[in-house]
Amino acid sequence: MADHPSRYRIKFSDVTVGQRFYDPISQEYFVKQSESLAAMVTGSGDGTVPDEFEADDIVGIDH
């Protein structure tokens, strides 16, 4: 995430439900759906298939 100057690091637990975030592992964007699930909205994701995240996973939020 260091190569993207307008992105800051945040824990998944601090992302608001409905908020879009960047996952550095998959290098894709997701939208948080619940306290443990999010759906990919870029790449092969269409926002319908949930993926599990841990509360302390570090993700990125663009400003």
Side-chain angles (χ1 to χ4, degrees):
M1 285 187 295
D3 62 339
H4 198 288
S6 63
R7 183 177 296 145
Y8 66 95
R9 294 165 45 109
I10 185 173
K11 287 184 180 181
F12 180 76
S13 61
D14 294 331
V15 176
T16 305
V17 171
Q19 186 174 16
R20 179 179 156 129
F21 65 91
Y22 180 79
D23 174 34
I25 303 296
S26 65
Q27 298 183 353
E28 298 290 350
Y29 283 92
F30 288 76
V31 172
K32 185 170 181 176
Q33 296 180 319
S34 72
E35 292 307 310
S36 62
L37 297 175
M40 186 187 300
V41 293
T42 58
S44 62
D46 61 2
T48 61
V49 180
D51 195 0
E52 197 167 19
F53 282 81
E54 298 293 326
D56 60 349
D57 286 346
I58 301 298
V59 299
I61 301 293
D62 292 343
H63 299 239

